[in-house]
Amino acid sequence: MPGHASFAAADLEDTVNASDLEDLIGYNLKRAYVIVQTDFRDTLGEDGLSARMFSALSLTVRYPNITQSELAKMLGIERSGLVAIVDALEEKKYLARAAVPGDRRVQALVPTKKGAKAYGEAVAAVKAHEDRLFADMTKTEKETLLGLLRKIRRKEAKA
Amino acid sequence: MPGHASFAAADLEDTVNASDLEDLIGYNLKRAYVIVQTDFRDTLGEDGLSARMFSALSLTVRYPNITQSELAKMLGIERSGLVAIVDALEEKKYLARAAVPGDRRVQALVPTKKGAKAYGEAVAAVKAHEDRLFADMTKTEKETLLGLLRKIRRKEAKA
DNA sequence: GATTTTCGTTACTTCGGTAAACAATTAAAG
DNA sequence: CTTTAATTGTTTACCGAAGTAACGAAAATC
């Protein structure tokens, strides 16, 4: 038990059972996020895809010819921040920046065959990681959690 | 709709309704975390307490004379990382590093009156922030969410 | 008494992300 | 039309939150 640096003052710790911190959604959300994110990295990690790269690639596969601005908005990050992610994916030959006839400003992102394949494998690995990590939850619990998290996501400050 | 950079290839987007990304707990967890953390900062922000400082102060108030090592472990961070947090709190005169008679290595953290008061106000502000942010959730939903997040936290890799 | 462990600390690095400015390009107003 | 606005991708500089490695002082172990 903490708070007992040998000369231990006040033993009111057991009296106080309102933990504040532990009852906050934000704090628990953060701690849970760190755990999941760490496991993700340990799974996909070591020259695999980072979470950022995975999510960017995922949307590129699902929405081929998506614009960088559109992608950034969907990911909830700034355009400037996306550049490095797309650079990394392009360097791995997982996608390409393609010129768009109509508008010479935009660069459409299109996954390569290699990228589509790598994404398929990554998805499998990620699903295995979640299956394993949340093995002690029932399907209902997972769906409930997902629903509640999405409910929070709806509060997102819109541009 | 994305993926339609004017010359819009394949319209299979509507066909594909398995979103992958949106069905991942990890992704939703992260997005939700960012939203809550941002609102926390906007509330307590501007020379208020950061989330790190708040949680460290919280545990110091609850467990006076807690050791830095103990605190770091409870927060799930490295001892080295805690130093800057304690430095910041000490600079604000919210707590003090007190020498411990028995062991000259450790520094017991003890909140000041000013710190206890500031923490009290911060707690109120944080609770208001969560009440407001999660106003569209029932008490049951919040408790369910808390329970599920704690279930994830139990998987924490122990030192 | 010699060795090992613990504690707080420093220095360095990494990662994810924002903000501001910019050139090129397109759209909108006049 | 021409001038002004806005948009796109990008670079650069910065910041916050962490981790790792090493260290000296002190304590614990053998």
Side-chain angles (χ1 to χ4, degrees):
Chain A
M1 286 61 183
H4 288 283
S6 82
F7 64 99
D11 262 68
L12 33 140
E13 291 141 30
D14 309 301
T15 317
V16 183
N17 42 13
S19 173
D20 287 334
L21 205 52
E22 295 294 332
D23 287 339
L24 290 176
I25 291 178
Y27 183 71
N28 283 278
L29 201 51
K30 174 175 186 171
R31 295 294 297 259
Y33 161 67
V34 169
I35 290 165
V36 175
Q37 204 267 354
T38 299
D39 192 88
F40 182 101
R41 187 184 298 269
D42 290 349
T43 306
L44 270 265
E46 300 316 317
D47 77 8
L49 294 169
S50 63
R52 296 144 40 94
M53 288 169 71
F54 174 79
S55 50
L57 182 56
S58 173
L59 293 177
T60 304
V61 167
R62 183 157 183 229
Y63 302 109
N65 293 309
I66 191 173
T67 280
Q68 285 189 213
S69 286
E70 291 170 330
L71 181 51
K73 180 180 275 183
M74 290 190 101
L75 290 173
I77 64 176
E78 294 298 315
R79 298 196 312 282
S80 62
L82 185 64
V83 176
I85 302 175
V86 172
D87 283 351
L89 287 170
E90 196 175 37
E91 195 180 5
K92 284 211 164 211
K93 310 287 185 204
Y94 285 174
L95 57 75
R97 288 168 159 106
V100 173
D103 190 335
R104 281 187 297 176
R105 285 171 304 181
V106 322
Q107 306 254 101
L109 301 179
V110 49
T112 62
K113 263 179 224 166
K114 188 181 174 189
K117 189 184 163 199
Y119 176 66
E121 292 166 7
V123 161
V126 169
K127 282 188 174 157
H129 130 81
E130 292 217 345
D131 282 350
R132 179 177 41 72
L133 194 57
F134 306 123
D136 64 337
M137 288 190 190
T138 65
K139 184 152 193 162
T140 309
E141 281 180 317
K142 291 186 216 175
E143 277 165 8
T144 302
L145 176 56
L146 225 38
L148 291 169
L149 292 176
R150 290 203 184 106
K151 197 158 187 176
I152 294 176
R153 287 187 57 191
R154 278 181 218 125
K155 303 168 197 334
E156 190 151 31
K158 327 207 160 188
Chain B
M1 287 59 185
H4 288 283
S6 81
F7 65 101
D11 263 67
L12 33 140
E13 292 140 29
D14 309 300
T15 317
V16 182
N17 42 13
S19 173
D20 287 334
L21 206 52
E22 296 293 332
D23 287 340
L24 291 176
I25 291 178
Y27 183 71
N28 283 278
L29 201 50
K30 174 174 186 172
R31 295 296 296 261
Y33 160 67
V34 169
I35 290 165
V36 176
Q37 205 266 352
T38 299
D39 192 88
F40 182 102
R41 187 184 298 268
D42 290 349
T43 306
L44 271 266
E46 300 315 317
D47 78 8
L49 294 169
S50 64
R52 297 144 40 96
M53 288 169 71
F54 174 79
S55 50
L57 182 57
S58 172
L59 293 177
T60 304
V61 166
R62 182 155 184 227
Y63 304 109
N65 292 309
I66 191 174
T67 279
Q68 285 189 213
S69 287
E70 291 170 330
L71 181 51
K73 180 180 275 184
M74 290 190 101
L75 290 173
I77 64 177
E78 294 298 314
R79 301 198 306 289
S80 61
L82 186 64
V83 176
I85 302 174
V86 173
D87 282 352
L89 287 170
E90 197 174 37
E91 195 180 3
K92 283 210 163 210
K93 310 285 184 207
Y94 285 174
L95 56 76
R97 288 170 161 104
V100 173
D103 191 335
R104 280 188 297 176
R105 286 172 306 181
V106 321
Q107 305 256 103
L109 300 179
V110 48
T112 61
K113 263 179 224 165
K114 187 181 175 190
K117 189 184 165 201
Y119 176 66
E121 292 165 7
V123 161
V126 170
K127 282 188 174 157
H129 131 80
E130 292 217 344
D131 282 351
R132 178 176 43 72
L133 195 56
F134 306 122
D136 63 338
M137 288 191 190
T138 66
K139 185 152 193 161
T140 309
E141 280 180 317
K142 292 186 214 175
E143 277 164 9
T144 302
L145 176 57
L146 225 39
L148 291 168
L149 292 175
R150 290 202 184 107
K151 197 159 187 175
I152 295 176
R153 286 188 58 189
R154 281 183 215 121
K155 304 169 199 329
E156 190 152 32
K158 328 207 157 188

